[in-house]
Amino acid sequence: MRLRNKPWAKDMINDNLDLISVQPENMQGKWQDRFEKKQPLYLELGSGKGAFITELAKRNPQNNYIAMEVQEGAIALILKKQVENKLPNLQLLLANGSNLSDLFAENEIKGLYLNFSDPWPKTRHVKRRLTYKSFLEQYKYVLEDDGNIEFKTDNQGLFEYSLVSMNNFGMKFDELSLDLHNDEALNENNIQTEYEEKFSKKGFRINYLKASF
Ligand SMILES: C[S@@+](CC[C@H](N)C(=O)[O-])C[C@H]1O[C@@H](n2cnc3c(N)ncnc32)[C@H](O)[C@@H]1O
């Protein structure tokens, strides 16, 4: 994603602090207070421009959602969508997801979405993959006992790595597909992300899994 930090993004963020958290250290265990209703809380880590989480929040008013992004430019684009749609069940979070247990309390989240995470193909960067064991430890801590992770990617290498990493961590796989768009049952309610749309148009197969601890 070629978004750099931009002054307009800063202004937009500062004008909408009711919709976005930028100093979230003190929010642990209090995320429900940011929403109109207390209801199951789902997090997307690395939301990009936010097409997926915005549509998910629209379709599921019975749940609360947080779109998390580390890039200011990206979060401002999600914010634009949120300002247009005014979804009471969607909040934004500008932060790095590497230490989720500093941002969320134990069992605070019902489900986590990892969509088209950066593949970090070089071996020396393996610890940055969002399915590396230190990330899985954090997810286990913040997710409810019956919570789960949904993961989508076009990147075969990252998918295989993630299967092994999750399996080694003792996770259970509830759903698995090497070609999500051609799996009628799984694809029926699938919401495409920006990257998903781009890569599936190029003919890449989309890998999908749903796993729990
Ligand atoms: C390849 S893009 C995919 C965007 C979107 N999920 C999609 O499928 O269209 C990955 C996104 O994850 C964000 N990201 C990567 N590592 C992150 C981290 N540790 N914390 C928060 N966001 C992160 C990046 O800034 C980028 O916007």
Side-chain angles (χ1 to χ4, degrees):
M1 178 165 308
R2 283 192 222 99
L3 289 169
R4 296 275 175 267
N5 291 345
K6 297 189 170 108
W8 64 266
K10 264 193 179 33
D11 290 345
M12 188 158 186
I13 289 165
N14 286 330
D15 289 346
N16 290 285
L17 290 175
D18 55 329
L19 298 175
I20 176 167
S21 298
V22 290
Q23 287 175 320
E25 293 79 13
N26 54 356
M27 286 302 296
Q28 250 184 346
K30 298 181 199 150
W31 282 99
Q32 293 288 359
D33 300 346
R34 299 280 299 174
F35 296 90
E36 270 181 27
K37 291 185 196 159
K38 286 198 194 324
Q39 29 192 31
L41 181 61
Y42 292 81
L43 172 72
E44 185 187 20
L45 174 45
S47 296
K49 298 178 189 174
F52 171 83
I53 196 85
T54 310
E55 181 59 27
L56 192 64
K58 242 188 243 180
R59 288 192 198 176
N60 296 285
Q62 76 285 3
N63 295 327
N64 288 335
Y65 295 94
I66 297 176
M68 180 172 194
E69 248 299 330
V70 72
Q71 291 192 66
E72 260 179 14
I75 209 103
L77 294 178
I78 311 174
L79 199 48
K80 266 190 180 173
K81 292 189 179 73
Q82 172 57 326
V83 168
E84 281 161 21
N85 286 284
K86 293 191 180 64
L87 297 164
N89 61 336
L90 176 62
Q91 280 281 322
L92 279 56
L93 169 55
L94 175 60
N96 192 319
S98 57
N99 263 324
L100 281 190
S101 57
D102 290 342
L103 305 174
F104 296 91
E106 196 172 2
N107 300 330
E108 193 167 13
I109 296 171
K110 178 83 188 168
L112 174 70
Y113 297 98
L114 301 173
N115 290 321
F116 297 80
S117 307
D118 298 318
W120 296 109
K122 292 186 180 151
T123 312
R124 70 173 188 274
H125 291 148
V126 69
K127 291 182 179 175
R128 298 184 193 176
R129 293 179 190 155
L130 295 189
T131 46
Y132 185 70
K133 63 173 187 279
S134 61
F135 280 95
L136 298 180
E137 278 162 9
Q138 305 274 323
Y139 305 154
K140 186 175 183 185
Y141 179 79
V142 300
L143 279 171
E144 291 178 19
D145 292 343
D146 62 346
N148 57 49
I149 299 177
E150 290 189 53
F151 177 81
K152 287 195 276 191
T153 182
D154 62 300
N155 189 297
Q156 195 72 38
L158 179 65
F159 194 67
E160 284 167 11
Y161 169 83
S162 303
L163 283 173
V164 173
S165 180
M166 289 175 165
N167 187 51
N168 288 346
F169 203 83
M171 292 182 73
K172 298 182 290 289
F173 298 102
D174 307 316
E175 310 276 8
L176 209 50
S177 171
L178 296 179
D179 193 358
L180 173 63
H181 291 189
N182 282 313
D183 184 320
E184 218 172 292
L186 287 179
N187 196 41
E188 196 185 351
N189 295 315
N190 182 46
I191 297 174
Q192 294 209 44
T193 77
E194 278 98 355
Y195 268 62
E196 183 170 356
E197 220 175 314
K198 189 166 93 181
F199 288 124
S200 58
K201 270 187 193 144
K202 287 184 179 172
F204 295 144
R205 283 182 309 168
I206 306 303
N207 302 299
Y208 167 81
L209 68 80
K210 186 173 182 178
S212 48
F213 290 99

